[in-house]
Amino acid sequence: MEQMTKKETIALRDKHIGKSCQLFFRQDPLKIMRAKAQYMYDEKGDAYLDCINNVAHVGHCHPAVVEAGCRQMSILNTNNRFLHDNIVLCAQRIINTMPDKLSVCYFVNSGSEANDLALRLAQIHTGNRQVITLEHAYHGHLTSLIDISHYKFNLPGGPPQKDYVHVASCPDTYRGKYRDSDYAKEELSKLYSDEILTICQNVSSEKGEKICAFIAESLLSCGGQIIPPDNYMKNVYDHVRQNGGVCIADEVQVGFGRLGKHWWGFQMHDVIPDIVTMGKPMGNGHPIAAVVTTEEIAESFRRTGVEYFNTYGGNPVSCAIANAVFDTIEKENLREHALVVGEYLFDSCQILAKKHACIGDVRGVGLFLGIEMVKDRDLRTPDKATASYVLKRMREEHILVSADGPECNVIKIKPPMVFTKENVDEVVSTLDRVLKELRDSQQKSSNVKSTEVPSKEPRTRKSLKEDRIKSI
């Protein structure tokens, strides 16, 4: 079939795709035709360095992953009601990375399905329905998950908060309710986790009920790349369990070794969840996800007598791909790579922050990093305009980053795991130049009303490499 022009693609999309399905860079969306490792290519063949696609966990179109999927698809693809090696081997691979008590797998198609099933397991096992979630949290697009995702239901036009959903403050020690500028480090985890205890007590006294579940990402992505303070998760898990609930760790964004030191984000907090959910990175872009839980919770689910069946969850092709992802992480030492490159990325961004007052905070672990843009460092006033400008200019320089957080002022960097130190140099030097041009423009005119300045002519990737700034 003859390739459509970009204009034709946009016209057909406008005609047939729901308007709620939004694109990156809406004013001038990218048309991506192919990708390899940490690079994506548009219809003109221009390369873009991908700093946001944690879905392509081991790199876009990794040959070993592609080959495993093609080979299995040429032999058999069917549902998981037939006995097959791939699903049990995949379950074994996952379980081998988990604490001993987490030993039972359920396979699904997406992180959203995984979190929905996790809630169902929690409700059946505890017999309760009260759920505790975090401010700015996002757990998926299913109705059950929109109901517990403050990131969604708090929007204008969003559904009203359900009476069984209780929202605790996001444990953001930089610009949250309790800040490291106001409290000692050891106080912060208690202040934030005490909110969970208060919710548990209120549920008991006002509703006469116990808690069903506490659900949280191990590190909060949509909340602005938030790393909870030390002992926060330990305290929260204790409070929830003492009040009848189970603890769900959402690892869709940060699992599978992205943090470097650990396979899973919850291990960073020295806790053991009752249920773990995973998704995106598991199939390197192929739709496969999973829920891992204890034998006790799985037995509660079995005793209902209601069969759990997912037509495509755990099919032979999906599991062959997931197994290839595990193989690739191990053979290419990608966890160690994420640790080394992640530390280099963090240190480089810290140096950059010393040069630019608009960078209020740099935080991250492994290849999961956030750069908070502010108008005033002392007041920590969020600067969405500068973040938006950075996104636009970096795209013009063929580097793709995104922004999130409640004020959309946190630049997110969570690239494929094959990201290199050379890639870090390119990102940081380009960001340095972009912020300098913005600062210079603002200094030239004290009456400037917008942080946006006219964009320079974008350069090719070749010229970017030839002219990389080495000043950092």
Side-chain angles (χ1 to χ4, degrees), residues 66 70 93 104 130 155 169 184 256 260 285 318 327 351 390 424 456:
V66 172
C70 291
R93 297 292 287 273
V104 182
Q130 306 293 323
L155 291 171
S169 296
F256 289 92
S318 296
D327 287 340
I351 294 171
V390 167
V424 171
K456 294 183 179 180

Side-chain angles (χ1 to χ4, degrees), residues 7 41 81 118 127 152 159 166 223 226 277 281:
K7 185 176 180 180
Y41 301 84
R81 288 179 124 167
K152 289 293 185 181
H166 308 274
I226 303 300
T277 61

Side-chain angles (χ1 to χ4, degrees), residues 271-472:
V271 295
I272 300 177
D274 301 292
I275 304 172
V276 179
T277 61
M278 58 196 70
K280 297 175 183 178
M282 186 173 177
N284 211 51
H286 187 85
I288 181 171
V291 177
V292 182
T293 191
T294 65
E295 290 186 5
E296 183 183 12
I297 292 175
E299 178 60 17
S300 295
F301 195 34
R302 185 198 66 80
R303 284 201 303 267
T304 65
V306 179
E307 176 191 22
Y308 178 73
F309 173 57
N310 187 311
T311 302
Y312 299 111
N315 70 75
V317 173
S318 296
C319 288
I321 289 171
N323 288 334
V325 169
F326 268 110
D327 287 340
T328 301
I329 293 171
E330 292 172 347
K331 288 178 181 178
E332 298 185 8
N333 297 316
L334 290 181
R335 279 179 53 201
E336 180 182 353
H337 181 80
L339 180 64
V340 172
V341 177
E343 288 178 350
Y344 184 68
L345 172 63
F346 182 82
D347 291 343
S348 298
C349 289
Q350 289 277 35
I351 294 171
L352 189 66
K354 294 178 181 178
K355 299 178 64 174
H356 298 282
C358 62
I359 297 178
D361 191 38
V362 176
R363 50 186 178 261
V365 182
L367 291 175
F368 181 88
L369 185 120
I371 305 171
E372 180 130 5
M373 312 306 293
V374 296
K375 296 177 182 178
D376 185 298
R377 275 187 172 175
D378 293 330
L379 298 176
R380 305 186 179 187
T381 313
D383 192 348
K384 179 180 178 179
T386 291
S388 297
Y389 175 77
V390 167
L391 262 60
K392 179 176 181 291
R393 283 291 292 118
M394 294 293 277
R395 177 260 173 90
E396 290 173 348
E397 298 292 341
H398 289 224
I399 297 173
L400 305 181
V401 294
S402 63
D404 225 321
E407 304 292 341
C408 286
N409 68 309
V410 181
I411 305 299
K412 297 169 64 172
I413 300 179
K414 45 187 181 69
M417 295 274 277
V418 292
F419 207 66
T420 66
K421 287 185 177 181
E422 290 74 20
N423 296 146
V424 171
D425 288 339
E426 184 172 350
V427 170
V428 174
S429 62
T430 305
L431 181 55
D432 179 36
R433 178 163 47 82
V434 166
L435 293 176
K436 184 178 183 298
E437 77 184 28
L438 177 60
R439 183 182 63 211
D440 291 347
S441 173
Q442 291 171 334
Q443 289 174 349
K444 286 178 182 178
S445 174
S446 59
N447 296 323
V448 68
K449 295 182 180 180
S450 170
T451 59
E452 185 167 330
V453 298
S455 300
K456 294 183 179 180
E457 192 69 26
R459 295 178 294 160
T460 64
R461 176 154 299 281
K462 181 179 179 182
S463 67
L464 280 170
K465 291 180 178 178
E466 290 173 347
D467 192 34
R468 181 179 292 147
I469 296 173
K470 295 292 187 181
S471 60
I472 299 177

Side-chain angles (χ1 to χ4, degrees), residues 40-59:
M40 304 177 77
Y41 301 84
D42 67 12
E43 79 281 5
K44 299 175 184 176
D46 290 340
Y48 292 83
L49 179 60
D50 183 2
C51 302
I52 57 178
N53 226 316
N54 65 315
V55 179
H57 191 60
V58 299

